[in-house]
Structures are given as C-alpha cells and as structure tokens.
Amino acid sequence: MMHFADSLTFSGRKVVAAWAALPFPALSGSSLPDILSAHLQDVPWKLLSSWREQKVSCCFAQSVVLRGICKERPASPGQPRSPLHSCESPEQVLQQYFHTQFPGAFSTSHVLQQPCDTRPPFPQFFSPLLSRQGFLLDKAQGYSSAGVESIPVLAALQSSPVLHSLLSGLCRDLRARNVRRWSSFFAAGVEQDDFQEALEELKTLSQCYEMGFGADGSEDEADSD
C-alpha cells in the first residue's frame, strides 16, 4: 500500500486520502454513463476520514476502482446524449468523467465485474431502499436489510487539497496540547526536540497540498496524465 500511495504523490506530497461510495448509488438497470451523468455537480464518493465533510472540487492524482457496475445498456441509435454515453467501455466512461471533474489530474481506473459480497458476517447496516444486489429502489423492500447479498462499490485513493485542511488541523491540535504534562509520552523515548521537529515537518507537508503549491511544475504534472 505504501508503494501504491507513492505512485500518486509528487512535489513533496506523501499522503493520500481514502474515499468510497458504499454502495455506489446506482439504480437497477441503469448504465454507468446514466449514473455518472447524475453526479456532474459532485462526485458520488465520500471521504472516509473522521475529518469534517468537504466537497471534492479538484485533485492532483487519484486511483479509482469500481466493482459491480460493468454491464452497459445497448447504445441507442442516433446522437449520444453526452460525451459519457459515447464511450465504448466502462473504463473509458470513468476516464471521461475524471477528465471533466478533475481536468489535468493524473487518474487511473479499474472496473471489476464482481460486486462486494455482503452476506453474513458482513455488517448488515443497509437501507431498506436497496435491492438484494445493492441497487437503489424507488420504495422500501419487503425484506430486512440482512437480505442484501452484494453491493456495487467505488473506492478511491486521492491526493487532493482536502489533505491540506486535514494535516494542518492535526498540526494545530497537537500544538495546542501541553505534551510536557504527559510523562508517559516522553518516557517511551520521544524527545521534546524530536517532537517539535515532527510538528514542523507535518506543517510543511500540509503546505504541499495548498492550491498553487509547486505551480512551476504544473506542466510537468499535467504531462503525467
């Protein structure tokens, strides 16, 4: 995982954030272009960190995996309704969506046919508005949420400006605490100077995720797409 995260970081960045749509919000029988066309204003996955909710408006690099959504409806005759509907494969649909949502970002995508198995002992916390295959329903199902046997899932690792707020907030929280009162903290072998140095490194790392950071290398980053 560490090496995989390294492939998504550059310009001094070392951290990526995990995002997921669990389940991926899809109506039964709808195609991937139809689903993503309904999310042009905001991406359909959420930050998994406990940090406060933030809208994803841009990113530097990302890797996305979609499971359980791969069958396409037969193309309708005539002009495609959108650029997404003109794509020939689910992978191309995702890449076109990323190009629209995050222009200039380095993006990789993988589409797997197998959905996520949610039969016991998987936690049964699903809404009654899900079918047994994890697709959205117009009305509640007649069986319990334990009847959800599988779900489509989208998961992403993303290097984005959201991490600036998360890392700088962590740095502020640590500075606000008087660690000298925690004898066990330094008894474990941590030196005060080392702790302060780590805080400075954390602050510097957070600045790497500010918009405009490394602008001189923006063309090089865009070329990596």
Side-chain angles (χ1 to χ4, degrees):
M1 181 60 72
M2 181 177 64
H3 295 300
F4 182 55
D6 285 345
S7 68
L8 298 175
T9 55
F10 36 77
S11 298
R13 304 178 186 111
K14 301 179 181 179
V15 180
V16 292
W19 306 74
L22 185 78
F24 186 66
L27 293 170
S28 180
S30 60
S31 68
L32 183 57
D34 291 337
I35 298 166
L36 294 179
S37 293
H39 294 277
L40 295 179
Q41 301 301 317
D42 195 8
V43 296
W45 54 87
K46 305 296 182 183
L47 181 64
L48 296 184
S49 168
S50 59
W51 191 249
R52 62 182 178 272
E53 188 69 18
Q54 297 200 32
K55 181 178 179 180
V56 186
S57 57
C58 64
C59 78
F60 309 115
Q62 63 183 344
S63 179
V64 180
V65 176
L66 176 63
R67 297 182 56 176
I69 303 286
C70 60
K71 294 181 179 179
E72 300 291 330
R73 281 181 173 175
S76 301
Q79 189 72 16
R81 287 177 288 167
S82 72
L84 293 176
H85 289 85
S86 65
C87 297
E88 297 181 356
S89 68
E91 289 85 358
Q92 291 181 2
V93 173
L94 281 178
Q95 285 295 337
Q96 177 62 41
Y97 181 73
F98 297 148
H99 179 72
T100 302
Q101 297 293 98
F102 310 108
F106 170 74
S107 299
T108 64
S109 60
H110 303 277
V111 179
L112 307 177
Q113 181 176 356
Q114 186 70 25
C116 179
D117 188 357
T118 57
R119 289 172 294 186
F122 195 94
Q124 300 302 306
F125 48 64
F126 300 108
S127 164
L129 291 174
L130 287 183
S131 69
R132 293 184 184 275
Q133 288 72 44
F135 293 100
L136 299 176
L137 299 171
D138 293 330
K139 59 180 180 180
Q141 59 191 0
Y143 49 87
S144 70
S145 61
V148 178
E149 300 175 352
S150 65
I151 56 172
V153 175
L154 184 145
L157 289 179
Q158 192 177 78
S159 173
S160 74
V162 168
L163 286 162
H164 168 65
S165 299
L166 193 151
L167 294 172
S168 60
L170 175 60
C171 187
R172 287 194 302 271
D173 289 345
L174 290 172
R175 288 185 186 279
R177 283 156 177 75
N178 185 4
V179 293
R180 292 185 178 88
R181 299 175 58 184
W182 302 346
S183 57
S184 59
F185 185 81
F186 294 105
V190 179
E191 298 292 339
Q192 178 68 31
D193 290 343
D194 293 338
F195 178 73
Q196 294 300 326
E197 181 180 353
L199 286 181
E200 290 301 320
E201 291 178 353
L202 183 60
K203 179 182 178 181
T204 300
L205 179 61
S206 72
Q207 293 171 344
C208 294
Y209 292 88
E210 289 184 291
M211 289 301 298
F213 176 85
D216 293 340
S218 58
E219 294 182 0
D220 294 337
E221 294 175 9
D223 289 342
S224 66
D225 193 358

